Amino acid sequence: LHDRIFPKTYYTGQDILDQLDGDHQVFVCGSGEDLWGYLYAIVDEGGEGYVDFVGVRADRRGKGLGHRLLLTAMDWLFTVQGVPQVGLTVSDDQVNARSLYEKAGFAIKYTGLSARKEW
């Protein structure tokens, strides 16, 4: 699912799975073998929480899955891990994702343009 939603990102789905440990978790939703969505959350080296990826299958969007995944991850980060704050990065043009994050209590701290160059 990750490789379909984020085909040219800095981590593959396997990279994420290889990093799983006490500070790196994947939260999933689905039914049986049918994966509908996931969220990758980490506690970074400075002890801060970070939501790195949220992906929901196109045919399952708009049903609250992303919101439930986000709330579950934030509970893990704040309650279980005891982080003081949680951050994330989202592109300005990702209106639906930004709405999801704002609904969950995130506030925009910075906005602007970015560029990524492949070497």
Side-chain angles (χ1 to χ4, degrees):
L1 181 62
H2 174 80
D3 296 332
R4 277 186 277 144
I5 295 174
F6 303 102
K8 295 183 180 186
T9 193
Y10 47 93
Y11 288 143
T12 66
Q14 188 61 53
D15 291 336
I16 291 172
L17 294 174
D18 290 345
Q19 294 178 43
L20 296 181
D21 62 18
D23 291 333
H24 301 78
Q25 294 292 313
V26 172
F27 299 90
V28 299
C29 61
S31 177
E33 296 290 317
D34 194 15
L35 180 62
W36 302 336
Y38 77 99
L39 183 148
Y40 178 53
I42 66 171
V43 177
D44 68 19
E45 293 175 3
E48 306 268 327
Y50 197 79
V51 173
D52 215 354
F53 293 102
V54 180
V56 175
R57 244 177 36 198
D59 65 327
R60 293 292 179 164
R61 292 182 188 150
K63 300 178 186 327
L65 299 177
H67 186 72
R68 288 192 306 211
L69 286 165
L70 189 55
L71 294 180
T72 300
M74 288 177 18
D75 182 62
W76 175 74
L77 287 163
F78 285 123
T79 305
V80 176
Q81 296 297 89
V83 300
Q85 66 183 17
V86 175
L88 56 83
T89 302
V90 62
S91 299
D92 285 341
D93 62 343
Q94 297 294 319
V95 177
N96 290 341
R98 287 179 56 172
S99 176
L100 166 68
Y101 302 141
E102 289 170 354
K103 181 179 176 184
F106 285 88
I108 296 172
K109 188 170 183 179
Y110 304 106
T111 186
L113 298 175
S114 66
R116 186 174 292 178
K117 178 168 177 62
E118 293 187 27
W119 295 97

